[in-house]
Amino acid sequence: MIGSMECGTVLIVEDNDVLLETFKYVVESEGYHVLTAKNGKEALAVLEVTPHPCLILLDMFMPVMDGWEFLNQIKLKEGDLIVSLPIVICSAAGEQKLAETAKEVSGYLKKPVDMDVLINTVKKFCNPIQKNNGATVSN
Amino acid sequence: MTPVTTKPRILIVEDENIVALDIERGLERLGYEVVGVASSGEEALHLAKNAQPELILMDIKIKGNRDGIETAEEIRKDFDIPVVFLTAYSDEGTLQRAKNVGPYGYLLKPFDETEMHLAIEVVLQKHKSNRLKEVQSQNDLNLSEERFKLFVDSNKEYALFMMDSVGNVISWNLGAERIKGYKPDEIIGKNFRVFYTDEDRMAGKPEQELELASSTGKFEEENWRVRKDGSRFWASEVITALTDEQGRLRGFGKVTRDMTAAKIAEEGLRRAIVVRDEFMSIASHELRTPLSVIALHLQMARKIREQELKSGAGSDRLLTSLDISIKSVKSLGSLIDALMDVSKIHTGRLQMNFEITDFSKLIQNTCKNFEYAFDAAKMKFDYEIDSGIFINCDLMRVEQVMVNLLSNALKYAVGSPIKVSLKADNKCAYVSVQDFGSGIPEAMQTKIFDQFERVGSPSVSGLGLGLYISKQIIEAHGGSIGVESEMGKGSIFKFDLPKEKRA
């Protein structure tokens, strides 16, 4: 599995500590490897090391670097107008701005996020590293 | 026949002497005074001027270069004397000419004395009443013009002034002086371009507005204008083109109102709506975050329990989920508390329960409770608390202020050391919370104590109500709260509370 380390890896970007840990907990319980970042800047740093997670869950309203700036930075890096990484944005406010951004990326999760919706979204983009039959999660 | 009481003075213009004499006798019999007899137009003009008749009996066919009608026209130019034409011609052309002179009557020769008397009296009467009407209407006009001028000159609410066809000011009222700041002698003769902002002048707006006013008759707009002292005001203005009877442009009338106060009120309202809408969006975001946590953990807890029941195994994961849910419910509760506080402040129901409190102990305990959080955030946290300071305050509310200041330090001064100090003199207690973070821009330093205002919104979490509520609490104690901050160096939040609550 060394060659496909990033397979089954999900990057979660969320500024609220408790919510970040909660997302991590839910996604890990399905057998995925989870990387976390508390803002766009941290997320870019994570991508330097792990450039191809199979999914990025991205909060939009964050300090230091918000979700929009993060998307711009990725575009600049890839020299492309369309973000090719699978990204699902995750936000509470149903604003026009969010709806437009959602079209640019792979999907949109509305807060408060439902567990089954979150799990199914992650499953849609990646296969878990270890098959988890749902009993308990081994750390 | 009514007897003639005064003797109206009549001039006879008749080139046939016998006829003239006959008429003269007839007139005298009827009680008129004959002021002269002229046999030519020239003579008639001369007598009309010198004898000042009140009526002229004018034969149409007379000696000289002018006939009677032409003579009457001449006379009418200079004197307002009614004319009764005497004519043997009853042809339409002549009668029409006679009528066009605008006089009052004619007698067809031959006529008898009664006809003559009637014609003279009718004409005199008509003349008299026309004159009366003219005077009356002139008086009315004078009066209304007078009133209008007074209204214009003394009106202070509206700038009312006239401009010539290229926009040079030619009249100036009190309102114009008050609104625009120019005295009449400072502005009359100058071009109205000076009332416009530099941008508008550059864009040629003054000329365009005159152009529009003259092509459509009127130009209206609301925009910024400039006073003599350079300050701007929000003007509501109308420019009306003034044309003569032939439709030629004579100039412009301009009416301007100073609507600055209304504009400011309107913008304040608009701003309040924007702030409120932003707040609603932030509040819903903030409330959903703990809700997300609770929802996810409860769903996870359920799933774990389901699996436990199937497998018979147990784990502490369930407890973790429940603990986090409980914590999130609490944070949801404090968000709702903040909203309730603001609602109480708005309706004047934020009650304080004053009691003599060991303030030193209160601040000390609050700081202690934060030690763990600062430690976890790897922030150096020092507090220097003078002991034995007692003040009359609402313990819970003052603690709330302290918690707010420390939470803000934790949230905004990421990684910076934090210093808390409490000192007192015999009147007040002084608390300060200092950080060495990025600092607050000067423009924001007072705004952050307003409701819904936050530094760096909307990315930093929080409702933006903490400092607003804190300020209300401190002020309800008769104290004050503020911030000193320098960009790049950090901020010191300070508040003081009187030991005894001031009335």
Side-chain angles (χ1 to χ4, degrees), chain B residues 48-50 69 87 167 188 197 200 265-266 324 351 421 444 471:
Chain B
K49 187 183 169 193
N50 294 318
I69 293 171
T87 178
I188 287 175
T197 61
D200 284 353
E266 188 190 315
I324 294 170
Q351 297 281 319
S421 122
M444 285 299 293
K471 186 170 189 256

Side-chain angles (χ1 to χ4, degrees), chain B residues 186-206:
Chain B
E186 292 171 325
I187 195 65
I188 287 175
K190 299 229 171 82
N191 196 275
F192 85 126
R193 288 170 56 85
V194 298
F195 306 140
Y196 289 74
T197 61
D198 289 345
E199 309 90 270
D200 284 353
R201 277 206 300 271
M202 299 271 234
K205 278 203 73 179

Side-chain angles (χ1 to χ4, degrees), chain B residues 254-317:
Chain B
K254 194 169 177 210
V255 182
T256 304
R257 278 186 86 179
D258 183 349
M259 303 294 280
T260 314
K263 179 76 179 166
I264 288 170
E266 188 190 315
E267 284 187 349
L269 196 63
R270 199 166 291 155
R271 162 96 187 117
I273 291 168
V274 168
V275 167
R276 189 201 62 195
D277 290 350
E278 268 172 16
F279 173 74
M280 294 303 281
S281 137
I282 289 165
S284 83
H285 182 261
E286 288 300 312
L287 292 170
R288 273 170 211 266
T289 299
L291 264 184
S292 290
V293 172
I294 296 162
L296 286 169
H297 276 287
L298 289 178
Q299 283 174 298
M300 284 303 284
R302 194 190 174 284
K303 193 172 162 187
I304 289 164
R305 184 64 192 140
E306 205 172 53
Q307 289 161 357
E308 280 175 1
L309 288 174
K310 267 190 209 155
S311 66
S315 84
D316 50 11
R317 281 264 167 162

Side-chain angles (χ1 to χ4, degrees), chain B residues 157-427:
Chain B
E157 281 302 301
Y158 293 82
L160 301 160
F161 60 97
M162 313 261 270
M163 302 180 288
D164 65 15
S165 56
V166 293
N168 293 320
V169 175
I170 53 179
S171 80
W172 199 243
N173 79 336
L174 258 181
E177 187 175 328
R178 186 188 67 85
I179 292 171
K180 295 180 188 275
Y182 296 92
K183 297 251 183 257
D185 58 327
E186 292 171 325
I187 195 65
I188 287 175
K190 299 229 171 82
N191 196 275
F192 85 126
R193 288 170 56 85
V194 298
F195 306 140
Y196 289 74
T197 61
D198 289 345
E199 309 90 270
D200 284 353
R201 277 206 300 271
M202 299 271 234
K205 278 203 73 179
E207 293 76 13
Q208 285 163 20
E209 291 183 7
L210 288 191
E211 189 67 43
L212 279 167
S214 61
S215 63
T216 62
K218 200 161 101 173
F219 177 82
E220 277 180 79
E221 81 159 350
E222 288 203 356
N223 212 329
W224 292 106
R225 292 285 182 269
V226 182
R227 297 190 185 95
K228 186 191 163 194
D229 64 10
S231 60
R232 290 184 177 200
F233 67 100
W234 185 255
S236 159
E237 64 162 41
V238 183
I239 301 176
T240 310
L242 306 171
T243 51
D244 62 16
E245 281 164 12
Q246 279 75 43
R248 284 175 300 210
L249 182 68
R250 283 298 180 219
F252 300 92
K254 194 169 177 210
V255 182
T256 304
R257 278 186 86 179
D258 183 349
M259 303 294 280
T260 314
K263 179 76 179 166
I264 288 170
E266 188 190 315
E267 284 187 349
L269 196 63
R270 199 166 291 155
R271 162 96 187 117
I273 291 168
V274 168
V275 167
R276 189 201 62 195
D277 290 350
E278 268 172 16
F279 173 74
M280 294 303 281
S281 137
I282 289 165
S284 83
H285 182 261
E286 288 300 312
L287 292 170
R288 273 170 211 266
T289 299
L291 264 184
S292 290
V293 172
I294 296 162
L296 286 169
H297 276 287
L298 289 178
Q299 283 174 298
M300 284 303 284
R302 194 190 174 284
K303 193 172 162 187
I304 289 164
R305 184 64 192 140
E306 205 172 53
Q307 289 161 357
E308 280 175 1
L309 288 174
K310 267 190 209 155
S311 66
S315 84
D316 50 11
R317 281 264 167 162
L318 183 61
L319 285 181
T320 310
S321 277
L322 292 175
D323 284 345
I324 294 170
S325 298
I326 291 162
K327 236 172 136 179
S328 288
V329 167
K330 280 183 183 158
S331 91
L332 203 51
S334 61
L335 286 173
I336 292 167
D337 282 347
L339 289 174
M340 292 304 292
D341 282 348
V342 170
S343 152
K344 280 179 191 161
I345 290 164
H346 283 182
T347 52
R349 289 181 293 117
L350 190 71
Q351 297 281 319
M352 298 291 147
N353 301 310
F354 287 93
E355 56 185 323
I356 303 294
T357 306
D358 186 340
F359 193 52
S360 300
K361 203 170 137 196
L362 168 67
I363 299 297
Q364 181 94 29
N365 288 344
T366 314
C367 286
K368 238 182 205 145
N369 290 341
F370 265 82
E371 268 178 357
Y372 173 76
F374 281 114
D375 198 44
K378 301 193 172 61
M379 290 164 76
K380 191 168 179 293
F381 180 47
D382 291 318
Y383 44 98
E384 220 180 279
I385 314 283
D386 285 359
S387 60
I389 301 168
F390 285 82
I391 62 171
N392 191 10
C393 70
D394 183 324
L395 187 145
M396 303 279 281
R397 288 296 183 184
V398 173
E399 185 184 2
Q400 187 182 344
V401 173
M402 202 56 207
V403 166
N404 176 244
L405 293 183
L406 291 172
S407 310
N408 282 351
L410 198 60
K411 197 156 75 184
Y412 291 96
V414 183
S416 151
I418 305 296
K419 278 184 183 170
V420 171
S421 122
L422 166 63
K423 292 191 178 348
D425 56 23
N426 48 15
K427 279 185 180 165

